Coordinates of all heavy atoms in Angstrom, one line a residue:
I136 N 104.7 179.6 107.0 CA 103.8 179.9 108.1 C 104.5 180.7 109.2 O 105.6 180.5 109.5 CB 103.2 178.6 108.7 CG1 102.2 178.9 109.9 CG2 104.3 177.6 109.2 CD1 101.3 177.7 110.2
E137 N 103.9 181.8 109.5 CA 104.4 182.7 110.5 C 103.3 183.3 111.4 O 102.2 183.5 111.0 CB 105.1 183.9 109.8 CG 106.6 183.6 109.6 CD 107.2 184.4 108.5 OE1 106.6 184.6 107.4 OE2 108.3 184.9 108.7
E138 N 103.7 183.5 112.6 CA 102.8 184.1 113.5 C 102.4 185.5 113.0 O 103.2 186.2 112.5 CB 103.4 184.3 114.9 CG 102.8 183.4 116.0 CD 103.5 183.6 117.3 OE1 103.1 184.5 118.0 OE2 104.4 182.9 117.6
T139 N 101.2 185.9 113.2 CA 100.7 187.2 112.7 C 101.6 188.3 113.1 O 102.0 189.1 112.3 CB 99.3 187.5 113.1 OG1 98.5 186.3 113.0 CG2 98.6 188.5 112.3
G140 N 101.9 188.3 114.4 CA 102.8 189.4 114.9 C 104.1 189.4 114.2 O 104.6 190.5 113.7
A141 N 104.8 188.3 114.2 CA 106.1 188.2 113.6 C 106.2 188.5 112.2 O 107.1 189.2 111.7 CB 106.7 186.8 113.9
A142 N 105.1 188.1 111.5 CA 105.1 188.2 110.1 C 105.2 189.7 109.6 O 105.9 189.9 108.6 CB 103.8 187.6 109.5
K143 N 104.6 190.5 110.3 CA 104.6 191.9 109.9 C 106.0 192.4 109.8 O 106.3 193.2 108.9 CB 103.9 192.8 111.0 CG 102.4 192.9 110.7 CD 101.7 193.9 111.5 CE 100.2 193.7 111.5 NZ 99.7 193.3 112.9
V144 N 106.9 192.0 110.7 CA 108.2 192.4 110.6 C 108.9 191.7 109.4 O 109.6 192.4 108.6 CB 109.0 192.0 111.9 CG1 110.4 192.6 111.9 CG2 108.2 192.5 113.1
N145 N 108.7 190.5 109.3 CA 109.4 189.7 108.2 C 109.0 190.0 106.8 O 109.8 190.0 105.9 CB 109.3 188.2 108.5 CG 110.2 187.8 109.6 OD1 111.1 188.5 110.0 ND2 109.9 186.6 110.2
L146 N 107.7 190.2 106.7 CA 107.3 190.4 105.3 C 107.5 191.8 104.9 O 106.5 192.5 104.7 CB 105.8 190.0 105.2 CG 105.5 188.5 105.6 CD1 104.0 188.4 105.6 CD2 106.1 187.6 104.6
G147 N 108.7 192.2 104.9 CA 109.0 193.6 104.5 C 108.5 194.0 103.2 O 107.9 195.1 103.1
E148 N 108.6 193.2 102.2 CA 108.2 193.6 100.8 C 106.8 193.1 100.6 O 106.4 192.0 101.0 CB 109.1 192.9 99.8 CG 110.6 193.1 99.9 CD 111.2 192.1 100.9 OE1 110.6 191.0 101.1 OE2 112.2 192.4 101.4
R149 N 106.1 194.0 100.0 CA 104.7 193.8 99.7 C 104.7 192.7 98.5 O 103.9 191.8 98.6 CB 104.1 195.0 99.1 CG 103.0 195.6 100.0 CD 102.7 197.0 99.4 NE 102.1 196.8 98.1 CZ 100.9 196.9 97.8 NH1 100.0 197.1 98.8 NH2 100.4 196.7 96.6
L150 N 105.5 193.0 97.5 CA 105.5 192.1 96.4 C 106.6 191.1 96.5 O 107.8 191.5 96.4 CB 105.6 192.9 95.1 CG 104.4 193.7 94.7 CD1 104.8 194.7 93.6 CD2 103.3 192.8 94.2
Q151 N 106.3 189.9 96.7 CA 107.4 188.9 96.9 C 107.7 188.3 95.5 O 106.9 187.7 94.8 CB 106.9 187.8 97.8 CG 108.1 186.8 98.1 CD 107.7 185.7 99.1 OE1 106.8 185.9 99.9 NE2 108.3 184.6 99.0
P152 N 109.0 188.3 95.2 CA 109.4 187.7 93.9 C 109.6 186.2 94.0 O 109.9 185.7 95.1 CB 110.8 188.4 93.6 CG 111.3 188.7 95.0 CD 110.1 189.0 95.9
F153 N 109.3 185.6 92.9 CA 109.6 184.1 92.8 C 110.6 183.8 91.7 O 110.4 184.3 90.6 CB 108.3 183.4 92.6 CG 107.5 183.2 93.8 CD1 106.7 184.2 94.3 CD2 107.5 181.9 94.5 CE1 106.0 184.0 95.5 CE2 106.7 181.8 95.6 CZ 106.0 182.8 96.2
Y154 N 111.6 183.0 92.1 CA 112.6 182.7 91.1 C 112.5 181.2 90.8 O 112.3 180.4 91.7 CB 114.0 183.0 91.7 CG 114.3 184.4 92.0 CD1 114.0 185.0 93.3 CD2 114.9 185.2 91.1 CE1 114.2 186.3 93.6 CE2 115.1 186.6 91.4 CZ 114.8 187.1 92.6 OH 115.0 188.4 92.9
Y155 N 112.8 180.9 89.6 CA 112.9 179.4 89.3 C 114.1 178.9 89.9 O 115.2 179.5 90.0 CB 113.1 179.2 87.7 CG 111.8 179.2 87.0 CD1 111.5 180.2 86.1 CD2 110.9 178.2 87.2 CE1 110.3 180.2 85.4 CE2 109.7 178.2 86.5 CZ 109.4 179.2 85.6 OH 108.2 179.2 84.9
S156 N 114.0 177.6 90.4 CA 115.1 177.0 91.0 C 115.1 175.5 90.5 O 114.2 175.1 89.9 CB 115.0 177.1 92.5 OG 116.2 176.5 93.1
T157 N 116.1 174.8 90.9 CA 116.2 173.4 90.5 C 116.3 172.5 91.7 O 116.6 173.1 92.8 CB 117.4 173.1 89.6 OG1 118.6 173.3 90.4 CG2 117.4 174.0 88.4
E158 N 116.1 171.3 91.6 CA 116.2 170.4 92.8 C 117.5 170.5 93.5 O 117.6 170.6 94.7 CB 115.9 168.9 92.4 CG 114.5 168.6 92.1 CD 113.5 169.1 93.2 OE1 113.8 168.8 94.4 OE2 112.5 169.7 92.9
K159 N 118.6 170.5 92.6 CA 119.9 170.6 93.2 C 120.2 171.9 94.0 O 120.8 171.9 95.0 CB 121.0 170.4 92.1 CG 121.2 169.0 91.7 CD 122.3 168.9 90.7 CE 122.4 167.4 90.2 NZ 123.0 167.3 88.9
L160 N 119.7 173.0 93.4 CA 119.9 174.3 94.0 C 119.1 174.3 95.3 O 119.6 174.8 96.4 CB 119.4 175.4 93.1 CG 120.4 175.8 92.0 CD1 119.7 176.6 91.0 CD2 121.6 176.5 92.6
K161 N 117.9 173.7 95.3 CA 117.0 173.7 96.5 C 117.7 172.9 97.6 O 117.7 173.3 98.8 CB 115.7 173.1 96.2 CG 114.7 174.0 95.4 CD 113.4 173.4 95.1 CE 112.6 174.2 94.1 NZ 111.6 173.5 93.5
S162 N 118.4 171.9 97.2 CA 119.0 171.0 98.2 C 120.2 171.8 98.9 O 120.6 171.4 100.0 CB 119.6 169.7 97.6 OG 120.8 170.0 96.9
K163 N 120.6 172.8 98.3 CA 121.7 173.7 99.0 C 121.1 175.0 99.5 O 121.8 176.0 99.6 CB 122.8 173.9 98.0 CG 123.6 172.7 97.6 CD 124.5 172.2 98.8 CE 125.3 171.0 98.5 NZ 124.7 169.8 99.2
G164 N 119.8 175.0 99.7 CA 119.2 176.2 100.2 C 118.8 177.3 99.3 O 118.4 178.3 99.6
L165 N 119.1 177.0 98.0 CA 118.8 178.0 97.0 C 117.4 177.8 96.3 O 117.4 177.6 95.1 CB 119.9 178.2 96.0 CG 121.2 178.8 96.5 CD1 122.3 178.9 95.5 CD2 120.9 180.2 97.1
D166 N 116.4 177.7 97.1 CA 115.1 177.7 96.5 C 114.8 179.2 96.2 O 115.6 180.1 96.4 CB 114.0 177.1 97.5 CG 114.0 177.8 98.8 OD1 114.9 178.8 99.0 OD2 113.3 177.4 99.7
S167 N 113.5 179.5 95.8 CA 113.2 180.9 95.5 C 113.6 181.8 96.6 O 114.2 182.9 96.4 CB 111.7 181.0 95.2 OG 111.4 182.3 94.9
K168 N 113.2 181.5 97.8 CA 113.5 182.3 99.0 C 115.0 182.5 99.1 O 115.5 183.6 99.4 CB 113.0 181.6 100.2 CG 111.6 182.2 100.7 CD 111.8 183.1 101.9 CE 110.8 184.2 101.9 NZ 109.7 184.0 102.8
G169 N 115.8 181.4 99.0 CA 117.2 181.4 99.1 C 117.8 182.3 98.1 O 118.8 183.1 98.4
I170 N 117.3 182.2 96.9 CA 117.9 183.1 95.8 C 117.6 184.6 96.1 O 118.4 185.4 96.0 CB 117.3 182.7 94.4 CG1 117.8 181.3 94.0 CG2 117.7 183.7 93.3 CD1 117.2 180.7 92.8
Q171 N 116.4 184.8 96.7 CA 116.0 186.1 97.1 C 117.0 186.7 98.1 O 117.4 187.8 98.1 CB 114.6 186.2 97.6 CG 114.1 187.6 97.7 CD 112.8 187.7 98.5 OE1 112.3 186.7 99.1 NE2 112.2 188.8 98.6
K172 N 117.4 185.8 99.0 CA 118.3 186.2 100.1 C 119.7 186.6 99.5 O 120.2 187.6 99.9 CB 118.6 185.0 101.1 CG 117.6 185.1 102.3 CD 118.0 184.0 103.3 CE 116.8 183.7 104.1 NZ 116.7 182.3 104.5
I173 N 120.2 185.8 98.6 CA 121.5 186.3 98.0 C 121.4 187.5 97.1 O 122.2 188.3 97.0 CB 122.3 185.1 97.3 CG1 121.5 184.5 96.1 CG2 122.7 184.1 98.3 CD1 122.3 183.6 95.3

Side-chain angles (χ1 to χ4, degrees):
I136 181 160
E137 269 160 316
E138 249 181 83
T139 317
K143 272 191 197 116
V144 185
N145 283 346
L146 300 173
E148 305 86 23
R149 251 171 61 105
L150 289 165
Q151 184 179 333
F153 278 76
Y154 296 89
Y155 275 114
S156 182
T157 65
E158 285 311 313
K159 280 187 184 153
L160 283 165
K161 283 178 192 164
S162 76
K163 293 287 177 251
L165 290 179
D166 56 359
S167 175
K168 263 257 149 102
I170 293 175
Q171 194 192 5
K172 265 187 205 145
I173 57 173

